[in-house]
Amino acid sequence: MKLADKLQRPHLAELVPYASARRSMSGGNVWLNANESPYCNSYQLDDSQLNRYPAFQSSALNQAYADYAGVEQDQVMSCRGSDEAIELLIRAFCEPARDAVVICPPTYGMYAISAQTHGAEVIEVPLLQDNWQLDMTALIARAAAAKLVFLCSPSNPLGQRLAAEDLHRVLTECPDTLVVVDEAYIEFCPQASVAQQLNQYPNLVVLRTLSKAFALAGARCGFALANSDVITVLKKVLAPYPLPDLTVQVATQALSQQGLQRLTQQVSALVTERERLTSALDPLPMRRIADSDTNFLLYAVDNAEQLIQALAGQGILIRNQSAQRNLPSCVRISIGDEAQNQALLNELNDYFGVSA
């Protein structure tokens, strides 16, 4: 037995790490597998302070995001993507081998991976298959035994939002459990956000990111929004210098008036392309799983892996979601720009033998 295998924490021996889009697929020239924005925007960078450590929390960045999200600055913590916020919540509030988190699959895989890595129990309460909404009776019953409940709205990988009344009911009926609402895709349906209800619910935590609609996946900047007492605890387990100076600069500019105007334009263009792509895919032998409030679509097909490999052979990457609970042979397609989406449509028409 190798030394690392001998010394690793026992529960990690069987852990399968999260297979990110970039980790599981490479190559290609049309990337529609990671829910990234197709837009790459320019920023002005100042390198005069790169010899200094950055601030633990940038007041300018956190205030800019507070203004954008409609919350107070002391309700904001910036971190390395919302993935780090998930890790911090589990590290700060879950005792290994004793406490549990609740997830509602099919959902974002990092909730379970982060919990398992830390040694917390993962309780699954699957979404209802007839409408992909919360199983409220089961969820309320199980949440009482958990420290954290992770709810993804709009959902990844489904695309649809959770019912507002259900979110409010969980928050109300589980006052001693932190209810974490992941709003990574909220820019595509901002009216569905619960962020401005932090003062109403002491147990509410909202996760946000600049990786999707803001087109900053490479900058690794996310936010936890919560009441100040929760933020104070999270900061106890946050790294001393969580965000590089360059990331702070870029993120602050993205949240400026000019940056937010650009965000609005690009989101509008992506929604238009999403609707165009949806209509163009309707005649094909692909079954849409749910309506999308995001920058991606989820479809059931006869043979997901065969389709994915056929498209990859033409340089187009989409994502296999067949391993998700109750999603057999399903593929997720990110919305690209007009040219990328047309390239996908052309190849799908050829694959299915349909005249364009």
Side-chain angles (χ1 to χ4, degrees):
M1 179 182 293
K2 293 183 178 179
L3 180 61
D5 294 332
K6 185 187 304 183
L7 298 180
Q8 72 173 320
R9 297 170 66 188
H11 75 277
L12 294 181
E14 303 300 322
L15 179 68
V16 178
Y18 182 71
S20 67
R22 202 65 70 241
R23 192 172 182 175
S24 59
M25 297 187 76
S26 61
N29 49 42
V30 177
W31 292 359
L32 303 178
N33 64 328
N35 298 345
E36 300 156 322
S37 171
Y39 305 109
C40 186
N41 303 311
S42 297
Y43 296 91
Q44 299 296 316
L45 297 176
D46 176 6
D47 60 5
S48 64
Q49 296 297 312
L50 293 185
N51 59 317
R52 304 298 182 189
Y53 288 112
F56 174 62
Q57 291 283 284
S58 166
S59 296
L61 173 59
N62 287 3
Q63 185 62 62
Y65 202 84
D67 293 342
Y68 168 70
V71 301
E72 299 299 321
Q73 184 178 340
D74 66 358
Q75 296 174 318
V76 177
M77 185 189 72
S78 47
C79 50
R80 289 166 290 198
S82 52
D83 284 337
E84 183 176 39
I86 295 167
E87 292 274 350
L88 295 172
L89 283 161
I90 294 168
R91 286 172 54 199
F93 294 102
C94 291
E95 193 68 29
R98 190 177 76 186
D99 291 327
V101 307
V102 172
I103 65 171
C104 299
T107 192
Y108 182 45
M110 280 307 298
Y111 310 141
I113 294 292
S114 293
Q116 291 163 354
T117 300
H118 186 65
E121 180 186 0
V122 178
I123 299 172
E124 295 190 359
V125 181
L127 297 175
L128 299 170
Q129 286 186 255
D130 59 342
N131 61 3
W132 301 115
Q133 291 296 317
L134 298 173
D135 182 342
M136 291 302 298
T137 301
L139 179 59
I140 296 297
R142 303 306 299 274
K147 285 287 190 72
L148 302 166
V149 174
F150 287 99
L151 303 176
C152 194
S153 183
S155 166
N156 177 15
L158 296 167
Q160 100 296 346
R161 73 187 81 166
L162 297 176
E165 58 269 24
D166 289 348
L167 294 177
H168 298 317
R169 183 180 167 193
V170 177
L171 286 160
T172 300
E173 297 191 26
C174 303
D176 296 323
T177 301
L178 286 179
V179 179
V180 184
V181 182
D182 189 341
E183 294 187 345
Y185 300 91
I186 201 64
E187 281 74 25
F188 297 95
C189 56
Q191 71 278 10
S193 177
V194 295
Q196 294 183 23
Q197 296 167 30
L198 288 176
N199 293 332
Q200 181 180 352
Y201 297 111
N203 58 331
L204 173 61
V205 179
V206 178
L207 303 184
R208 294 285 190 86
T209 182
L210 302 189
S211 294
K212 309 302 181 183
F214 278 90
L216 286 175
R220 307 309 302 132
C221 182
F223 301 89
L225 311 181
N227 285 290
S228 59
D229 59 324
V230 176
I231 295 295
T232 297
V233 174
L234 290 177
K235 287 179 178 178
K236 292 182 179 180
V237 292
L238 182 62
Y241 312 110
L243 291 183
D245 178 74
L246 297 179
T247 292
V248 172
Q249 290 185 50
V250 168
T252 305
Q253 291 175 50
L255 291 161
S256 67
Q257 182 177 359
Q258 180 182 0
L260 294 177
Q261 289 174 346
R262 181 175 59 200
L263 168 74
T264 300
Q265 294 167 355
Q266 292 179 351
V267 166
S268 177
L270 287 171
V271 170
T272 298
E273 278 299 299
R274 184 187 71 202
E275 300 312 308
R276 182 178 79 89
L277 189 59
T278 301
S279 297
L281 293 177
D282 279 346
L284 300 182
M286 305 171 66
R287 180 174 61 86
R288 184 153 44 94
I289 298 298
D291 292 333
S292 177
D293 293 308
T294 63
N295 66 335
F296 61 85
L297 299 165
L298 184 70
Y299 285 89
V301 297
D302 283 343
N303 190 321
E305 189 58 29
Q306 179 178 303
L307 174 59
I308 288 168
Q309 293 305 319
L311 291 175
Q314 302 302 314
I316 299 174
L317 306 184
I318 63 174
R319 190 80 187 271
N320 196 338
Q321 292 292 328
S322 304
Q324 287 267 16
R325 173 75 73 92
N326 297 328
L327 294 179
S329 199
C330 284
V331 297
R332 194 190 67 196
I333 302 170
S334 305
I335 307 302
D337 61 25
E338 183 177 1
Q340 292 169 336
N341 295 332
Q342 191 58 51
L344 170 70
L345 288 172
N346 293 343
E347 293 301 332
L348 286 174
N349 285 326
D350 286 347
Y351 178 83
F352 290 114
V354 176
S355 299

